[in-house]
Amino acid sequence: MASIRVEGVQGQMAAVLSNVPAFPNDRFVLGFPEAIGDAARAIWFGALKPRWREIGDGAWESAGEMPDELRYRLVITPYEDYVDAVITLTNCSHRVWQNSMAFNCFNCGSSVLRDNECLRHWVRVKGKFQRLVELPRVFSDRPTVQLYSVEGAPPGAQIPFVANFKATPADVVAEGWMAIVAPDGKRLAATVSRPALFLFQNMEYSCIHSAPSFGTMQPGQTAKALTRLYFVRQPLGKWYERMKREMEV
């Protein structure tokens, strides 16, 4: 029986996680998906009113649709110290989507992980762990927001959804995960997608995103992607080795 508790928020592209063993006094809000579809004209949070239902063993399912544009199904399944979110997306438009995506928001602002200065936010660039505060930053008219290109994906400048933020350092290419370490250094939460299209973080809300990619999608095509959220009592290096084994990224 899974320990982590999931509860979908009816009519919203959101769910809440609680009863997390590594963070027993905290709750986490998921904007899953906060935006979805064609990276050139994604459908944003609030435009869809998905239906949520429990489907057994603690898992929840939601489904949303915009006629002549897209249809998706999301299944969030909790385990002992991680949660899997699998999205199945269909291109219902008459366009080819060069890049397709889900903008999955993992909000840590209501937890001990809150880190508005990015001192405990970590990524991995060129084989080296780095805190976000150590990386170059591009300041847009939303200075709390930053996006990062991901290894194996197109550069952010070539992804309209990313480029429109005007907040992506051109010389930073990270692996497809982001983590926040607790102040005690003994616990962390992380988000990783397979495959990942880009990373995003917002200092204001202490939220992190590993945006999954569905690739290039033809009209009528359906594709699937995974985002996994970890909640572990491990230092960064030990978690990383585990994640690499499990996610094969």
Side-chain angles (χ1 to χ4, degrees):
M1 181 66 68
S3 293
I4 298 174
R5 183 171 184 266
V6 180
E7 185 173 0
V9 182
Q10 288 298 343
Q12 296 187 33
M13 298 157 77
V16 177
L17 303 183
S18 59
N19 196 39
V20 180
F23 301 93
N25 300 316
D26 295 330
R27 65 196 295 272
F28 300 88
V29 177
L30 312 183
F32 274 39
E34 193 171 27
I36 192 166
D38 183 354
R41 50 190 293 185
I43 305 303
W44 272 93
F45 187 94
L48 303 176
K49 307 295 182 184
R51 305 174 304 277
W52 286 92
R53 67 186 183 100
E54 292 186 76
I55 57 175
D57 294 326
W60 282 68
E61 175 192 71
S62 73
E65 181 175 7
M66 178 165 284
D68 301 319
E69 183 63 22
L70 63 83
R71 180 172 64 253
Y72 78 88
R73 175 177 178 260
L74 163 66
V75 176
I76 300 180
T77 305
Y79 297 92
E80 284 294 320
D81 62 357
Y82 67 92
V83 170
D84 277 349
V86 176
I87 298 180
T88 304
L89 176 66
T90 300
N91 177 359
C92 299
S93 76
H94 298 291
R95 308 184 314 278
V96 175
W97 298 352
Q98 292 301 322
N99 290 289
S100 53
M101 49 156 278
F103 194 47
N104 289 340
C105 175
F106 176 31
N107 191 320
C108 299
S110 298
S111 76
V112 69
L113 292 169
R114 188 176 184 93
D115 175 26
N116 300 107
E117 292 78 32
C118 288
L119 298 173
R120 292 179 283 103
H121 283 58
W122 289 87
V123 293
R124 191 171 171 94
V125 178
K126 296 181 179 178
K128 180 182 176 182
F129 294 111
Q130 290 196 262
R131 296 183 299 163
L132 291 195
V133 72
E134 299 171 333
L135 294 176
R137 196 171 185 93
V138 176
F139 291 97
S140 67
D141 56 358
R142 296 181 62 191
T144 64
V145 163
Q146 196 75 173
L147 299 92
Y148 301 93
S149 300
V150 164
E151 293 178 0
Q158 297 178 17
I159 304 170
F161 185 92
V162 176
N164 288 341
F165 279 91
K166 298 181 174 61
T168 306
D171 54 346
V172 176
V173 180
E175 296 181 9
W177 61 268
M178 189 176 294
I180 305 178
V181 175
D184 61 18
K186 299 177 181 178
R187 299 170 292 165
L188 65 82
T191 179
V192 53
S193 289
R194 189 180 65 196
L197 185 60
F198 61 90
L199 301 178
F200 173 98
Q201 62 84 209
N202 188 338
M203 288 180 173
E204 182 179 3
Y205 301 108
S206 211
C207 69
I208 55 177
H209 305 223
S210 175
S213 168
F214 301 87
T216 298
M217 295 185 68
Q218 302 293 324
Q221 184 177 350
T222 296
K224 184 179 292 188
L226 165 69
T227 296
R228 177 170 291 180
L229 306 178
Y230 283 94
F231 303 88
V232 299
R233 291 189 177 98
Q234 288 180 309
L236 184 65
K238 290 194 69 172
W239 164 78
Y240 177 77
E241 293 304 321
R242 169 190 168 181
M243 181 273 291
K244 292 283 284 185
R245 293 192 305 269
E246 294 180 349
M247 295 292 286
E248 299 179 348
V249 295

